[in-house]
Amino acid sequence: DSGVTQTPKHLITATGQRVTLRCSPRSGDLSVYWYQQSLDQGLQFLIQYYNGEERAKGNILERFSAQQFPDLHSELNLSSLELGDSALYFCASSVDGTQPQHFGDGTRLSIL
Amino acid sequence: AQTVTQSQPEMSVQEAETVTLSCTYDTSESDYYLFWYKQPPSRQMILVIRQEAYKQQNATENRFSVNFQKAAKSFSLKISDSQLGDAAMYFCAYSYSGNTPLVFGKGTRLSVIA
């Protein structure tokens, strides 16, 4: 158990809809990262938050947004969903630069 | 931009034998971190081993060890005494510092033959 909790584990929805993925980092971890794993693009970094502030942005679409709350949990919002958004979405957390990132079990998003 | 290349899409190894997975990377930085993550069929991402670029000594974790060649920008993973539970997708990853996003390779799928 990595200590990083992601909910829900599975999500099935239709094109055009909006979903929210939730991540609770390990206790004490200030950084939260979101990654997308798809068959054609592999594992790609989306966005990072550190102690409530956006720290880095990767290949995140404008239809996607995220935030980190005062209790350090994070949410990734995906809107106007397309078939190509079907993927496994991972959240990872780390305490600081001295420790590696630990991953949650992911949320599998299926767009029908 | 930093890139990570895993040139072996698939590998196989006999149980109890040794296998080496290759990884090369490209960076202009002198200090950075390299990782191997394992993704079994359950799809979890499990940290296998980590190497800090400033350390000359190769990292080891039980049956897992790395061969870190900084000048060649090479970071291979050696799995000794392979077990059936080692069957998984293995990803090589790079980060500029410990608190920056990971850049992943495409992965190597390892099969272990009984």
Side-chain angles (χ1 to χ4, degrees), chain B residues 39-85:
Chain B
Q39 188 176 42
S42 64
R43 307 309 297 260
Q44 293 173 304
M45 290 291 288
I46 302 165
L47 177 66
V48 175
I49 200 164
R50 179 176 80 148
Q51 175 81 43
E52 292 94 336
Y54 66 87
K55 290 185 177 179
Q56 292 188 343
Q57 187 173 6
N58 289 325
T60 62
E61 286 288 341
N62 301 314
R63 297 182 295 107
F64 298 88
S65 62
V66 298
N67 183 4
F68 174 48
Q69 301 288 329
K70 191 173 184 179
K73 295 181 182 176
S74 170
F75 182 61
S76 60
L77 174 70
K78 186 172 82 171
I79 306 174
S80 303
D81 186 25
S82 296
Q83 301 175 1
L84 295 177

Side-chain angles (χ1 to χ4, degrees), chain A residues 15-27:
Chain A
T15 55
Q17 296 299 304
R18 173 189 170 92
V19 297
T20 297
L21 312 184
R22 181 187 170 98
C23 170
S24 294
R26 294 193 318 164
S27 177

Side-chain angles (χ1 to χ4, degrees), chain A residues 97-108:
Chain A
T98 67
Q99 298 299 320
Q101 296 177 30
H102 292 270
F103 283 73
D105 290 345
T107 293
R108 179 170 293 284

